[in-house]
Amino acid sequence: MMKSENRKLSKKNAELQKQVRELNQKLQAAQQGNGRTQEQLVVSSQPQKAGPFGTVKSLRTNPPVMPDESVNPRLAKLLAEIAVGKEVIVALTNSNVKSMLEVWFNSIKKVVIPNYLVVPLDEAIVEFCKENDIPVYKRDPDENVDFIGKSGGNHAVKFRILREFLQLGYGVLLSDVDIVYLQNPFDHLYRDSDVESMSDGHNNMTAYGYNDVFDEPSMGWARYAHTMRIWVYNSGFFYIRPTIPSIELLDWVATQPNSWDQAVFNEELAFPSHPGYIGLYASRRRMDIYLFMNSKVLFKTVRKDANLKKLKRVIVHVNYHPDKFPRMKAVVEYYVNGKQDALDAFPDGSV
């Protein structure tokens, strides 16, 4: 009974924080609009005249789908109890990463995030979550998904499972379990795109894109060709809105089980339409690499920079290193428990 009451209070507190955040966003939007004579949203269904030069602004955010509870009434009921503002953190996991899962959900509890859910891929994780009072959604049996999930052989199954969450009208923050939460990530999302993802980039250029000049001396006058380069979105931590382009993205990735899910995820977000291929028109945003931080940024740069070390992170994702569990514990020691030398013993990369 006490745990149930605490969860209800945590959810109520999160809802109040969300209302404050939305009011602040509206205030910022109003302030930004004061200096503009006219802004125009281009809505495809209603042709409009273009405004004066420099005043036109297109619509970045696709409309949400109409929720369909008939897709999965049991999941719909559970999400109605857990989600805050129709949003939820979702992690799919199996017993192979049980120790990391424990660090993951303890960090979430420490930050007091009420709207999270574990989707177990084996029975042992179901029991482990129940023992630790972790919200859990036990899926109906599915031979194909269950076999792959238990073996841990292919990550594309998570895109297939996430589809139902979006069909039910929920925004999902998909999370791997090699992540330590230090703040509530929902307080730091923009929600202006179909997909809002952390980056594998390790500085501003690699994370947000740069002009990479290709040099081919044999071309003479035309030896220099300008190309654009950007490091990939990380498919282990991203926020996805319940829109048609988002669901189409999930479908495309899930239907290519023999490929690395992160490669397909990025190809579908990046490749334009061309002969023989119709591209995906999902809008996307990169998360701040110093707030939503990968472990390369932390161990190669941040821990060695006195100023960067002072910044408060939202999450740390130990995606670049195979010794995930000890590094996760070190991140907790450093950022939560204040042990200043907790990160020092680790090399920049892997040995």
Side-chain angles (χ1 to χ4, degrees), residues 290-307:
Y290 294 111
L291 293 179
F292 298 89
M293 187 166 58
N294 65 56
S295 55
K296 183 174 183 178
V297 174
L298 173 60
F299 286 99
K300 281 203 70 174
T301 304
V302 169
R303 67 170 174 169
K304 303 173 185 178
D305 188 300
N307 291 321

Side-chain angles (χ1 to χ4, degrees), residues 30-265:
Q31 291 172 340
Q32 291 170 355
N34 286 341
R36 295 172 177 166
T37 57
Q38 179 185 357
E39 280 196 354
Q40 184 177 17
L41 296 178
V42 179
V43 182
S44 58
S45 61
Q46 294 181 338
Q48 299 180 21
K49 294 180 180 179
F53 180 80
T55 66
V56 175
K57 184 177 180 181
S58 64
L59 186 67
R60 268 82 168 166
T61 308
N62 286 305
V65 298
M66 182 179 296
D68 182 5
E69 292 191 4
S70 67
V71 169
N72 190 330
R74 185 165 63 88
L75 178 59
K77 182 180 179 181
L78 178 61
L79 291 175
E81 297 171 358
I82 292 175
V84 174
K86 301 284 283 187
E87 295 177 328
V88 63
I89 296 171
V90 175
L92 286 76
T93 187
N94 59 29
S95 297
N96 296 332
V97 291
K98 183 177 177 181
S99 58
M100 289 191 290
L101 173 62
E102 187 168 15
V103 177
W104 179 85
F105 65 63
N106 281 334
S107 72
I108 286 178
K109 288 181 176 181
K110 182 76 174 179
V111 182
V112 195
I113 302 171
N115 49 329
Y116 69 101
L117 182 66
V118 172
V119 180
L121 299 175
D122 59 45
E123 192 62 32
I125 291 297
V126 175
E127 296 305 315
F128 182 64
C129 288
K130 289 180 178 178
E131 291 168 4
N132 288 276
D133 193 34
I134 304 303
V136 62
Y137 167 61
K138 185 179 178 181
R139 300 166 21 262
D140 293 330
D142 183 321
E143 257 185 46
N144 295 324
V145 173
D146 291 341
F147 174 77
I148 296 171
K150 289 175 183 177
S151 66
N154 189 281
H155 293 168
V157 296
K158 67 188 178 187
F159 292 88
R160 182 173 168 180
I161 293 171
L162 284 182
R163 192 186 204 276
E164 290 187 344
F165 287 80
L166 269 60
Q167 286 180 277
L168 293 171
Y170 288 85
V172 175
L173 187 55
L174 187 280
S175 174
D176 282 352
V177 297
D178 56 344
I179 290 174
V180 175
Y181 286 75
L182 302 168
Q183 296 187 67
N184 190 330
F186 291 111
D187 294 337
H188 300 271
L189 297 176
Y190 284 81
R191 300 174 177 82
D192 61 352
S193 305
D194 295 308
V195 178
E196 194 168 342
S197 175
M198 72 172 293
S199 171
D200 273 1
H202 60 93
N203 55 28
N204 286 350
M205 285 179 60
T206 56
Y208 310 134
Y210 63 100
N211 185 355
D212 185 35
V213 180
F214 177 76
D215 183 10
E216 190 175 5
S218 64
M219 287 298 294
W221 176 83
R223 66 181 289 181
Y224 299 112
H226 290 261
T227 70
M228 301 305 298
R229 294 198 64 183
I230 189 167
W231 288 30
V232 295
Y233 294 98
N234 187 284
S235 63
F237 189 86
F238 61 88
Y239 176 75
I240 187 164
R241 295 180 60 250
T243 67
I244 292 298
S246 295
I247 294 174
E248 185 181 8
L249 171 64
L250 297 182
D251 288 352
W252 283 19
V253 180
T255 53
Q256 301 186 53
N258 296 322
S259 301
W260 182 31
D261 67 294
Q262 180 159 295
V264 179
F265 181 70

